[in-house]
Amino acid sequence: MHIAITGAAGFLGQRLVQQLLARGELRQQPITRLTMLDQVEAPLPEAGDVSLAALALDITAPGALDSVLDQRPDVIYHLAAVVSSAAEADLELGMRVNFDATRALLEGCRAKELTQTRLIMASSVAAYGGALPAVLDDMTALHPQNSYGAQKAMCELLINDYSRRGIIDGLVLRLPTIVIRPGRPNAAASSFASSILREPLNGEEAICPVPVELPMFVMSPGKVVEALIHGAEVPSKSLAPFRAFMLPGITVTVAEMLEALRETAGEKALSLVRHEPDSRIEAIVAGWPARFETAKAKQLGFTGDDSFKQIIDAFVTEQQ
Amino acid sequence: MHIAITGAAGFLGQRLVQQLLARGELRQQPITRLTMLDQVEAPLPEAGDVSLAALALDITAPGALDSVLDQRPDVIYHLAAVVSSAAEADLELGMRVNFDATRALLEGCRAKELTQTRLIMASSVAAYGGALPAVLDDMTALHPQNSYGAQKAMCELLINDYSRRGIIDGLVLRLPTIVIRPGRPNAAASSFASSILREPLNGEEAICPVPVELPMFVMSPGKVVEALIHGAEVPSKSLAPFRAFMLPGITVTVAEMLEALRETAGEKALSLVRHEPDSRIEAIVAGWPARFETAKAKQLGFTGDDSFKQIIDAFVTEQQ
Ligand SMILES: NC(=O)c1ccc[n+]([C@@H]2O[C@H](COP(=O)([O-])OP(=O)(O)OC[C@H]3O[C@@H](n4cnc5c(N)ncnc54)[C@H](O)[C@@H]3O)[C@@H](O)[C@H]2O)c1
Ligand SMILES: NC(=O)c1ccc[n+]([C@@H]2O[C@H](COP(=O)([O-])OP(=O)(O)OC[C@H]3O[C@@H](n4cnc5c(N)ncnc54)[C@H](O)[C@@H]3O)[C@@H](O)[C@H]2O)c1
């Protein structure tokens, strides 16, 4: 079992690498080779018997992936991407990395006849937008309101069509907002959702810029990585007629997130959260869909977090 | 008012040219220039005061549209495309003509800063597919089951994103099945829908390969061209959040189509239709959605045919 991962030095890529090495097998076959691709050189973890390579390359360069595809990986995780704000600031960059590189990867697989290779890409809740219904489901149209979402939605169509034609065995998982991310607060509108938990758990102050009634659709990093792994194992005949769908996140209000924080870390932690409304952030986050029926994902055996409390506890355990 | 039309030598392009010349104005401004672009040289009709040009060029050639875009057309109709069967038979051809040429056109408009130019593209019912609801609406997901539909859906996303960014003032109209097309029966699965009316109206036999209970979503060529013209006139601020939607076709069963034939042309015409079931054609056509709520189009003032009888009568009048 040879697995290749683009964006392997990133947040999800790194966790996926660790999880795959910890499991040692995929599809009941021992993992013998793992190839990490990223423009940043990924650190080489302890890998036991697995033949590990970390290649620093720009996936948008012509033929960049040829040598990896020549090795006929059984599973390719395509996680390299530029984030929403970067794709909005620079249309060319977003098109090149988020769309053209995906197309080149598909064409590479086609040239090498990797018809049995499972290609798994991460799409996003940002692909949704416009006049959304109260509860979204697998048949809700994608009307993205940012270039990142449009590029992801175009990749979904392309991967589905190449899979339907039998060129590749593709799958696209739309990820809920990932909470709790490690690190520091940043400029992303979603930053607060991790920050209001992570900082107080570390005894630091955090700012909540939105009303506590605001609902969000979230998934823990652990469950997302579990879904990426499960995505390699679902039978391909169960994926038609459309190979892109939302993962089963859970819907929680900010108030419920904070209540779970209180249960785990007490009143003192909760008191570290300062409420400073920011109408710009509220407007962005309020536009994100928060309620989904994820029938397809559930039917295929993807699972979400049991509760928000569990998300917090997993974060605390991981940090120890 | 300068109007440029790609695919101007085609079925809809030719009708659009004639209709525009007959009107003489668009957006209450006299049409001064009309540029027809097609790989096939379009015939030059009588044009009065309008400065008319027919350029034979391949829109997929690099810079093919530069000289036209330099003239800063106010409205661009982008109708050049390869049909469904050709796009399915040749993935590269479909991607190049149906997708890359659209992207190149958008990039050309961006380079020339044609931010006020209304770009109107034709999408298709073939963009829908998969597990569809009984009645589709503006929020029904596009899960295309053929490459032509996937390419059209990708163009919709791109045109919407470029419009949202203010690069161009785009609009994509999804067309119902067009009935009655002139010409002869052909290999297209939809061919019978025109043939079972057109041939008997001309005193010839026709074959109906599907059960008469089968419903279809149809629009006359005249109404489609009217919609293309109206598409140039709807205010751009009314188009957000998503600039692609289905036109208001009408739902009719084959039985209703044949009943309208009988009303117009009598029992004798009806008796020219032979019923010879073809399960391959039935399977394809039965997969096409037949019932739509076209709220967005109607709200924007697009109109459909009043009745199927009217569609037949318009065809008869036109032929005389
Ligand atoms: N984290 C989330 O909340 C979230 C939500 C939805 C979808 N996603 C998607 O999941 C995937 C992984 O997300 P992440 O949070 O790990 O992102 P990340 O930014 O941490 O990692 C992306 C990686 O891609 C690499 N990369 C970018 N451009 C490259 C190029 N041209 N060549 C080679 N490598 C390049 C970066 O160096 C980075 O290591 C992305 O596709 C992202 O769009 C993430
Ligand atoms: N007719 C329908 O039932 C229907 C339904 C839905 C959508 N549409 C869409 O409407 C548009 C017009 O349809 P139509 O029925 O008039 O099609 P058509 O095939 O009659 O016309 C298309 C024209 O595009 C031209 N063309 C193709 N490739 C070209 C290239 N590389 N460079 C320059 N010109 C090129 C062809 O020469 C042709 O004249 C198309 O985009 C089609 O996909 C049509």
Side-chain angles (χ1 to χ4, degrees):
Chain A
M1 171 64 53
H2 176 194
I3 304 168
I5 306 176
T6 75
F11 165 52
L12 289 177
Q14 281 292 291
R15 287 179 168 256
L16 177 62
V17 166
Q18 307 227 307
Q19 203 54 44
L20 288 170
L21 291 176
R23 286 174 55 114
E25 59 87 27
L26 193 65
R27 293 182 174 174
Q28 285 147 356
Q29 287 166 44
I31 299 170
T32 49
R33 185 186 280 267
L34 193 61
T35 309
M36 303 187 277
L37 308 156
D38 204 296
Q39 60 189 6
V40 174
E41 196 154 345
L44 276 180
E46 190 52 59
D49 291 341
V50 180
S51 163
L52 206 63
L55 307 183
L57 49 77
D58 180 349
I59 57 162
T60 69
L65 299 173
D66 279 357
S67 67
V68 178
L69 298 181
D70 276 334
Q71 294 169 14
R72 310 186 72 76
D74 302 289
V75 175
I76 301 172
Y77 288 101
H78 178 41
L79 303 177
V82 297
V83 298
S84 178
S85 52
E88 198 61 25
D90 186 340
L91 177 60
E92 266 102 9
L93 176 71
M95 284 298 287
R96 203 163 60 234
V97 180
N98 293 350
F99 178 72
D100 291 323
T102 303
R103 184 171 173 190
L105 175 56
L106 288 167
E107 280 297 312
C109 291
R110 182 168 175 230
K112 314 281 184 206
E113 299 183 5
L114 302 184
T115 56
Q116 305 303 309
T117 296
R118 172 65 52 88
L119 171 68
I120 300 164
M121 196 189 110
S123 182
S124 162
V125 78
Y128 294 97
L132 290 167
V135 180
L136 285 73
D137 64 28
D138 295 319
M139 283 309 292
T140 303
L142 300 185
H143 292 174
Q145 299 302 310
N146 53 69
S147 294
Y148 169 83
Q151 290 149 9
K152 291 285 185 187
M154 286 166 54
C155 289
E156 292 189 7
L157 287 160
L158 211 52
I159 289 175
N160 191 64
D161 198 46
Y162 275 59
S163 299
R164 187 190 59 79
R165 294 183 79 107
I167 295 168
I168 190 89
D169 182 9
L171 175 62
V172 186
L173 303 175
R174 294 180 195 138
L175 311 186
T177 299
I178 303 181
V179 173
I180 301 169
R181 290 186 69 126
R184 304 296 308 164
N186 62 35
S190 63
S191 175
F192 80 88
S194 287
S195 182
I196 57 171
L197 307 161
R198 185 184 57 218
E199 270 63 271
L201 286 168
N202 293 328
E204 294 173 31
E205 285 203 343
I207 290 167
C208 179
V210 300
V212 295
E213 299 76 34
L214 197 84
M216 298 188 73
F217 194 66
V218 303
M219 195 176 227
S220 65
K223 276 287 172 187
V224 169
V225 169
E226 213 176 89
L228 290 171
I229 290 172
H230 185 64
E233 303 196 322
V234 285
S236 74
K237 63 177 179 305
S238 61
L239 297 176
F242 200 70
R243 290 167 174 250
F245 46 84
M246 181 49 94
L247 288 179
I250 55 173
T251 302
V252 282
T253 62
V254 172
E256 287 164 339
M257 291 163 65
L258 293 174
E259 172 55 23
L261 172 67
R262 198 189 55 78
E263 279 176 44
T264 296
E267 291 293 345
K268 185 147 166 273
L270 190 64
S271 70
L272 290 167
V273 180
R274 290 210 322 268
H275 293 268
E276 294 183 6
D278 179 327
S279 56
R280 192 193 60 90
I281 293 180
E282 186 188 342
I284 296 173
V285 179
W288 295 345
R291 292 175 211 284
F292 283 88
E293 268 181 29
T294 56
K296 176 134 182 178
K298 284 180 178 161
Q299 177 205 318
L300 291 172
F302 291 91
T303 58
D305 298 284
D306 290 329
S307 67
F308 199 78
K309 178 89 168 56
Q310 198 190 53
I311 293 183
I312 294 194
D313 292 344
F315 178 78
V316 171
T317 308
E318 222 180 69
Q319 287 220 313
Q320 279 156 2
Chain B
M1 171 64 54
H2 175 194
I3 304 169
I5 306 177
T6 76
F11 165 52
L12 290 177
Q14 281 292 292
R15 286 179 169 256
L16 177 63
V17 166
Q18 306 226 307
Q19 203 55 43
L20 287 170
L21 290 175
R23 285 174 56 114
E25 58 87 25
L26 192 65
R27 293 181 173 174
Q28 285 148 355
Q29 288 166 43
I31 298 171
T32 49
R33 184 185 281 268
L34 192 61
T35 309
M36 303 187 277
L37 308 156
D38 204 296
Q39 60 188 6
V40 174
E41 196 154 346
L44 277 179
E46 189 52 59
D49 291 340
V50 180
S51 164
L52 206 63
L55 308 183
L57 50 77
D58 180 350
I59 56 161
T60 69
L65 299 173
D66 279 357
S67 67
V68 178
L69 298 181
D70 275 334
Q71 294 169 13
R72 310 186 72 76
D74 302 290
V75 175
I76 301 173
Y77 288 102
H78 178 41
L79 303 177
V82 297
V83 298
S84 177
S85 52
E88 198 61 23
D90 186 340
L91 178 60
E92 265 101 10
L93 176 71
M95 284 298 287
R96 203 164 60 234
V97 180
N98 293 350
F99 178 72
D100 291 322
T102 303
R103 184 171 173 189
L105 176 55
L106 288 167
E107 280 298 311
C109 292
R110 182 167 176 230
K112 314 280 184 209
E113 298 182 6
L114 302 184
T115 56
Q116 305 303 309
T117 295
R118 172 66 51 89
L119 171 67
I120 300 164
M121 195 188 109
S123 182
S124 163
V125 77
Y128 294 97
L132 291 167
V135 180
L136 286 73
D137 64 28
D138 294 321
M139 282 309 292
T140 303
L142 301 185
H143 292 176
Q145 299 302 310
N146 53 70
S147 293
Y148 169 83
Q151 290 148 11
K152 291 284 185 189
M154 285 166 54
C155 289
E156 292 189 6
L157 287 160
L158 210 53
I159 289 176
N160 191 65
D161 198 47
Y162 275 59
S163 299
R164 187 189 58 78
R165 294 183 78 107
I167 295 167
I168 190 88
D169 182 8
L171 174 61
V172 186
L173 304 174
R174 294 181 196 136
L175 312 185
T177 299
I178 303 181
V179 173
I180 302 170
R181 289 187 71 125
R184 304 297 305 164
N186 62 35
S190 63
S191 176
F192 80 90
S194 287
S195 183
I196 57 171
L197 307 160
R198 184 184 58 217
E199 269 63 90
L201 286 167
N202 293 327
E204 292 173 34
E205 284 203 342
I207 291 167
C208 180
V210 301
V212 296
E213 299 77 35
L214 198 85
M216 299 189 71
F217 194 67
V218 303
M219 194 175 229
S220 65
K223 276 286 171 187
V224 170
V225 169
E226 213 177 87
L228 290 171
I229 290 171
H230 184 64
E233 302 196 322
V234 284
S236 74
K237 63 178 178 305
S238 61
L239 297 176
F242 199 70
R243 290 168 174 250
F245 46 84
M246 181 49 93
L247 288 179
I250 54 173
T251 303
V252 282
T253 62
V254 172
E256 287 164 339
M257 291 163 66
L258 293 174
E259 173 55 22
L261 172 67
R262 197 188 56 77
E263 280 176 42
T264 297
E267 292 292 345
K268 188 148 162 270
L270 190 63
S271 71
L272 290 168
V273 180
R274 289 210 322 267
H275 294 268
E276 295 183 4
D278 180 328
S279 56
R280 191 192 61 89
I281 294 180
E282 186 187 342
I284 296 173
V285 179
W288 296 345
R291 292 175 210 284
F292 283 87
E293 268 180 29
T294 56
K296 175 133 184 182
K298 284 180 178 162
Q299 177 205 319
L300 291 171
F302 291 91
T303 57
D305 298 283
D306 290 328
S307 68
F308 199 78
K309 179 88 168 59
Q310 198 190 53
I311 293 182
I312 294 194
D313 292 345
F315 178 80
V316 171
T317 309
E318 221 179 70
Q319 287 220 311
Q320 278 156 4

